[in-house]
Amino acid sequence: MSLGAMDIFKFLPAGKKETNANCKKCGCATCMMFALKLSKSQVESSLCPYIPSELSDKLEHNKKVQQETVLLGNLKIGGETVLYRHEKTFVNPCALCVCLDSEDKEFESKLKRILDFEFESIGKKYRVDAIYLKNPTDESVQKIKSSGIEVLNDDFLSKLKEVEFKGLAQTVDELVKIRTKAIVDRDENYSKPVFVRLFGDDFCSLCSIASSLICKYSNMIIFEYFDEALFASLITLRVNIYTDPQKPLQVESKVYEFNNPDENALVFMTTNFALSYFAVANELSSLKCGSYLVITPSEGMSVLTAWSAQKITADIASRVVSASNILNKVKNKQLIIPGLLSDLKDELQEVLPEWKIVVGTTEAYKIPEFVRELQKSSS
Ligand code: SF4
């Protein structure tokens, strides 16, 4: 575990309420400031003459690498520094790989399915991370590499530690032990990233086992079996685990267009929280009519959170709508706001008098029905 400012501060003179507290010899105004900088490795501990040996030992111990990072082309494996994502963030997603034998008579068709597989989640495209080739030929290796997918080889695998699958409970126990030794104890014997090979072709069993291994704590899984739905499910889980909790997923604040909007297009608005955007965008794409979606700059907060934190206000919304020039692009000047922002309707109506503010749905999936009703009532 890394040492936080408070962990360090309690060893310093101010933390121990000693007379030489805050003496400024280190160049910092206070011991707390020094502790903060030391926790971020912005200063050397030797600048304070009062550091006790217990703290020096802890700082020295903390310099040891917890888990190594191993590179294969664009694929990065390992490098984790925390046991739980909420402590900071996980770094490199568990790589999902497939093993293929180029002497298998179905090799070409199996390879084609893997190379063709592409899955989009929250605006990002994902593929199989790497292929481990048994009996590789130059031609097959070249074909995989030119598709942008990495080829695993034994040299690369030797930089990782293989954990043999011996049933789910026993394997997870082993992975937890290894990760704890690496992260908490900084034990060099456990600093290699780990991988597990999964055999068999039972979809449900592979899906549940691999899900557990992604959560705790395999850095890479090699499957003998490939299935698009299996990989799509596992990638969805992985995306959720490996997002950085310190950085809300957000999209650019601007006006997005769906289905070639013309003057009859509808105009919707929501915040720049990525999940809100994609939920609404999916529904707007499915409509038969064109539409605009105005995205406000709300620091990646969902609608209700942004409203509570004053990150979406009538002024912010009106600035984005006014700057977008959509007023001149549509005949029906209705601005459809999220149902959760109904309390903002009157204020918005005041600052955007050219628009009719309409309260939309609280859930994105209700948008198609809402639009049908809206079009019925205006026809
Ligand atoms: Fe505190 Fe800095 Fe003085 Fe050490 S040198 S006692 S950290 S102010």
Side-chain angles (χ1 to χ4, degrees), residues 359-370:
V359 176
T361 63
T362 50
E363 305 288 346
Y365 76 88
K366 293 179 180 165
I367 287 176
E369 191 191 331
F370 170 82

Side-chain angles (χ1 to χ4, degrees), residues 23-38:
C23 71
K24 301 188 177 56
K25 284 183 186 163
C26 58
C28 295
T30 61
C31 293
M32 179 49 95
M33 180 64 75
F34 182 72
L36 265 172
K37 288 192 172 183
L38 195 52

